[in-house]
Amino acid sequence: MIVFWKDPVYLRIRKRIHCWIHPYRSLIIGGILMAFISGGVSSGVPILLKELIDKVFAKKDPQLLFVLPLSFFVLFSVKGFTGFFQAYLLKKAALFMISDVRQSLFEHLIRMPLASFGKEGTGHLMSRVTNDTYILQGGVAEIIRDLLRNSFTAVGMLVALLYIDYKLTIFVLLAVPLTLIPIRKIGKKLRMVSRRTQESYGDVNQHLSETLSAIRLIKSVASEEKEIRQFREFSQAYAKSQFRSAKYENLLSPIMESIGALGIGLAVWLGGYSVIHGHLTLGTLVGFLTAAQMLYQPIKGLANSQAGIQQSLAAAERIAEVLERPLEEMNVARSGWTVSRLEKSLEFRNVSFRYPVSSSITLENISLSIPSGDFVAIVGPSGSGKSTLVNLIPLFYHPTEGEILWDGKNLQDADIRSLRNAIGMVTQDVILMNQSVRENLLYGLDRPVSRLELEEATKVANAFGFISSLPDGFETRVGEKGVFLSGGERQRLALARVVLRDPTLLILDEATSALDTESEYAIQKALEVIMKNRTTIVIAHRLSTIRTARKVYVLDKGKIVEEGSHEELMRTDGGRYQKFLNLSLGLAPDPGENSPKRSE
């Protein structure tokens, strides 16, 4: 049999597996001890059976007639209870160990850089946290339990065989090496198939996650049938992978049965010949055949354990792949400075950026300076790099070239946690948890907030009125992603959350672009209060938001092409800013209006 501790995958991730097991080593050692006792007492069955036939039935020994039944009772009782405690101890170790692995996996995922999440779908990552850990749990509990029990039972039966008749034992063992060939070949197939099966499950999970997240879009374009067909394809691919895994898993059983029958057949032939010619007693032969049968059962079980071992190793490998991905550095960096209130300026100095999966540059040689307390606007066509630019400030992404300076200090050397606590961001797509209004407002705050402060913050954000009208006020649950609230109400909750955080830098990324006039007006009034004495960067298309900015930066194809106040830029005839506003307000001339007419 191929021992898993020589497996290349196990050798690569064994340190991590040992770390998972280490806290529960006492439980596992206890399980091993129980398995050892269970396997040892099992070897007594054929020996007692030999004595029963040869001495009680053949020689009619009355004393052994009372001793042997009691011995059988004690033996099977010990075997049963040790089997129970072995299963109990290993199951407990497995459940708590996998709970730790699942927690470590979640903590690692949530601490990875934002850029890492674009490389793999949410459903695939969820599959690693749920399905892969579940498979690994089964491997630790059931597979190790069976592995230990069958190993010790096989050793015990081998000892019993040697004790009963060592010559017959050699014939029985001739068939054992034959088991190595199918185990090796089928084990390799199982590893590959198991990994593909888990990846197929990830595809199903990914499609389900995307479908439920985009259910409004799907229904708005009547695309239900298309999604049903795609899900069926993923589901059938997963079922086919499971079927292939089951095929290889169950193929071992008949092979092991045939090999076992060959060994026992040799023993019957040689043993029967010896009994007929008086070289062997009937009790010895019966005891030997019983031990031989009991030997092949655990060997067969060890072979069948290969399926679970390969599935567990594939799951452990996929989990380890995630745990080996680099984390986002949240602690104080090398220079050890903590971001506080912006006192002087925020400066971009020759900043360029390229997304890891993109061949083209997104931002090129950006240089700008925003004085503390200033209000600037960033405008430009879609895809010009506006959102990317502001996402570099909280270091969601790191500049490819150049540096961003906070009061003259490079943000690359800052404590990211303190940096993000100093920034308040409100985007077009407000993220709300499926919790109460109060819990959403307090999300991310690490300080106590009084009811009065909560109400004051919502009044500043023009949110107190609609919150008061909700069925349970601040305790009303908002639904997944705030589905029970309107777009304007969600935006005002986001603004109130910013007020409670009291950031020194406020970033508004298209915060009012999707709102109706009434909702926009309410939010604009709230912003006038929130932006006082606060450095503010606004990405917007609406003139009402842009014109009050002290300075406007116009981006196009990742470059700053114009800058100045609204009035200054409007005086530049034919400038990019004028064209941008004309397009945004619908004032641009129809491209086909002055085009030459076709001749008739």
Side-chain angles (χ1 to χ4, degrees):
M1 180 178 177
I2 305 168
V3 289
F4 70 87
W5 52 85
K6 291 185 179 180
D7 189 284
V9 173
Y10 174 77
L11 291 174
R12 187 171 67 82
I13 62 174
R14 62 182 175 182
K15 287 185 179 179
R16 196 174 294 279
I17 292 177
H18 291 173
C19 289
W20 295 342
I21 291 173
H22 188 264
Y24 306 101
R25 60 190 183 281
S26 58
L27 291 173
I28 294 173
I29 291 171
I32 293 172
L33 179 61
M34 293 298 106
F36 176 77
I37 296 172
S38 178
V41 297
S42 296
S43 64
V45 173
I47 295 174
L48 290 178
L49 193 61
K50 171 184 177 299
E51 297 298 315
L52 180 67
I53 294 174
D54 284 346
K55 294 185 179 179
V56 175
F57 296 155
K59 297 183 178 179
K60 298 182 172 35
D61 187 336
Q63 291 182 337
L64 282 178
L65 183 61
F66 292 99
V67 173
L68 288 178
L70 181 61
S71 299
F72 274 109
F73 171 77
V74 172
L75 188 147
F76 280 102
S77 296
V78 171
K79 185 176 184 295
F81 279 103
T82 53
F84 164 76
F85 283 112
Q86 178 206 1
Y88 170 81
L89 292 171
L90 291 177
K91 188 71 173 180
K92 184 177 181 180
L95 290 173
F96 285 99
M97 188 196 90
I98 297 304
S99 177
D100 291 347
V101 172
R102 193 181 295 115
Q103 182 67 27
S104 298
L105 196 54
F106 178 79
E107 289 178 9
H108 195 93
L109 282 172
I110 208 167
R111 288 172 177 161
M112 289 194 319
L114 191 61
S116 303
F117 292 92
K119 300 175 183 177
E120 188 172 3
T122 303
H124 285 281
L125 292 174
M126 289 174 60
S127 173
R128 303 206 187 205
V129 178
T130 55
N131 187 56
D132 289 354
T133 54
Y134 177 77
I135 292 172
L136 186 59
Q137 175 182 307
V140 173
E142 282 77 14
I143 303 305
I144 292 182
R145 181 196 65 197
D146 294 341
L147 197 65
L148 290 172
R149 181 177 60 195
N150 289 326
S151 296
F152 286 123
T153 301
V155 172
M157 289 303 114
L158 182 58
V159 171
L161 285 171
L162 291 169
Y163 172 80
I164 294 171
D165 193 297
Y166 72 91
K167 293 180 182 179
L168 282 178
T169 303
I170 295 172
F171 279 88
V172 171
L173 293 180
L174 286 175
V176 173
L178 297 176
T179 63
L180 298 178
I181 299 171
I183 290 174
R184 182 182 293 275
K185 290 189 175 182
I186 293 175
K188 288 182 178 178
K189 287 283 188 182
L190 271 170
R191 167 76 53 74
M192 293 185 292
V193 171
S194 295
R195 187 173 178 89
R196 282 199 295 268
T197 300
Q198 289 160 32
E199 289 170 354
S200 296
Y201 181 83
D203 292 336
V204 172
N205 224 15
Q206 175 67 19
H207 187 73
L208 178 61
S209 174
E210 288 181 349
T211 302
L212 295 179
S213 298
I215 193 66
R216 283 181 182 272
L217 171 64
I218 292 168
K219 290 189 172 295
S220 68
V221 297
S223 189
E224 292 92 340
E225 293 303 319
K226 174 190 172 186
E227 298 302 328
I228 289 171
R229 285 195 303 272
Q230 288 186 344
F231 186 82
R232 183 181 293 114
E233 291 173 4
F234 286 125
S235 183
Q236 288 177 348
Y238 176 50
K240 289 176 182 177
S241 294
Q242 285 183 305
F243 174 73
R244 284 193 292 270
S245 180
K247 179 180 70 175
Y248 288 116
E249 183 177 344
N250 291 297
L251 185 59
L252 277 171
S253 183
I255 294 174
M256 296 304 298
E257 291 278 4
S258 300
I259 294 172
L262 176 63
I264 292 175
L266 286 172
V268 169
W269 174 74
L270 185 60
Y273 180 86
S274 298
V275 170
I276 291 172
H277 290 82
H279 303 309
L280 203 68
T281 66
L282 179 62
T284 300
L285 179 61
V286 172
F288 186 88
L289 292 177
T290 302
Q293 176 64 25
M294 293 178 71
L295 171 66
Y296 277 107
Q297 283 302 317
I299 291 177
K300 178 184 171 184
L302 288 171
N304 291 336
S305 297
Q306 276 294 301
I309 290 171
Q310 298 303 326
Q311 290 169 353
S312 298
L313 283 175
E317 184 181 21
R318 279 167 49 86
I319 291 170
E321 283 174 0
V322 175
L323 293 175
E324 289 167 2
R325 294 177 188 177
L327 293 176
E328 184 175 42
E329 184 59 55
M330 297 298 292
N331 296 322
V332 176
R334 292 184 300 275
S335 62
W337 72 281
T338 301
V339 177
S340 57
R341 300 198 71 82
L342 186 64
E343 301 291 346
K344 298 175 183 177
S345 66
L346 176 70
E347 181 183 357
F348 282 70
R349 186 177 292 174
N350 304 319
V351 171
S352 297
F353 177 75
R354 184 197 309 273
Y355 284 101
V357 294
S358 175
S359 58
S360 60
I361 195 161
T362 306
L363 294 173
E364 185 176 356
N365 199 29
I366 299 293
S367 292
L368 59 89
S369 181
I370 305 171
S372 174
D374 213 352
F375 169 31
V376 301
I378 300 174
V379 301
S382 297
S384 60
K386 304 184 299 296
S387 293
T388 301
L389 179 67
V390 296
N391 282 330
L392 293 179
I393 301 172
L395 296 182
F396 291 153
Y397 304 97
H398 292 258
T400 309
E401 296 177 10
E403 54 188 6
I404 305 172
L405 305 176
W406 184 289
D407 288 339
K409 297 179 180 179
N410 194 339
L411 286 182
Q412 291 289 105
D413 299 324
D415 172 17
I416 294 181
R417 195 179 303 279
S418 66
L419 169 64
R420 292 175 183 171
N421 283 334
I423 299 172
M425 293 190 74
V426 181
T427 63
Q428 179 180 346
D429 298 320
V430 176
I431 304 299
L432 295 177
M433 302 294 188
N434 187 14
Q435 298 173 350
S436 68
V437 170
R438 178 182 56 81
E439 289 170 318
N440 273 286
L441 290 172
L442 298 179
Y443 188 81
L445 283 176
D446 55 0
R447 62 179 180 84
V449 176
S450 66
R451 175 74 178 206
L452 179 61
E453 186 180 356
L454 200 64
E455 291 179 357
E456 287 298 322
T458 55
K459 287 176 182 177
V460 170
N462 278 335
F464 184 74
F466 86 80
I467 293 174
S468 300
S469 66
L470 294 174
D472 298 312
F474 283 92
E475 302 307 318
T476 303
R477 297 184 73 85
V478 301
E480 187 175 6
K481 297 182 180 179
V483 69
F484 298 148
L485 304 177
S486 68
E489 289 169 343
R490 290 196 294 269
Q491 290 286 5
R492 280 178 273 174
L493 279 189
L495 288 174
R497 187 158 57 193
V498 166
V499 173
L500 288 168
R501 290 176 65 86
D502 189 27
T504 185
L505 175 64
L506 179 62
I507 299 175
L508 305 173
D509 188 355
E510 304 281 11
T512 62
S513 62
L515 303 181
D516 55 62
T517 305
E518 183 179 352
S519 296
E520 183 190 9
Y521 176 77
I523 290 175
Q524 288 288 0
K525 299 301 285 184
L527 285 174
E528 290 175 7
V529 179
I530 296 170
M531 289 163 55
K532 284 182 179 178
N533 303 318
R534 206 184 302 271
T535 309
T536 305
I537 302 173
V538 172
I539 296 175
H541 286 88
R542 298 196 179 185
L543 181 60
S544 57
T545 305
I546 301 168
R547 67 191 311 164
T548 55
R550 185 196 65 83
K551 199 167 190 176
V552 179
Y553 292 94
V554 184
L555 260 65
D556 192 14
K557 297 179 181 178
K559 298 179 181 179
I560 296 177
V561 293
E562 289 181 356
E563 60 180 273
S565 68
H566 168 72
E567 291 77 13
E568 290 170 347
L569 294 175
M570 287 301 292
R571 287 196 292 268
T572 306
D573 293 333
R576 300 286 183 88
Y577 182 69
Q578 279 190 357
K579 291 179 181 178
F580 167 76
L581 281 186
N582 287 337
L583 288 170
S584 298
L585 299 173
L587 301 178
D590 185 350
E593 193 174 279
N594 299 318
S595 59
K597 293 182 180 180
R598 290 171 50 187
S599 57
E600 296 293 325

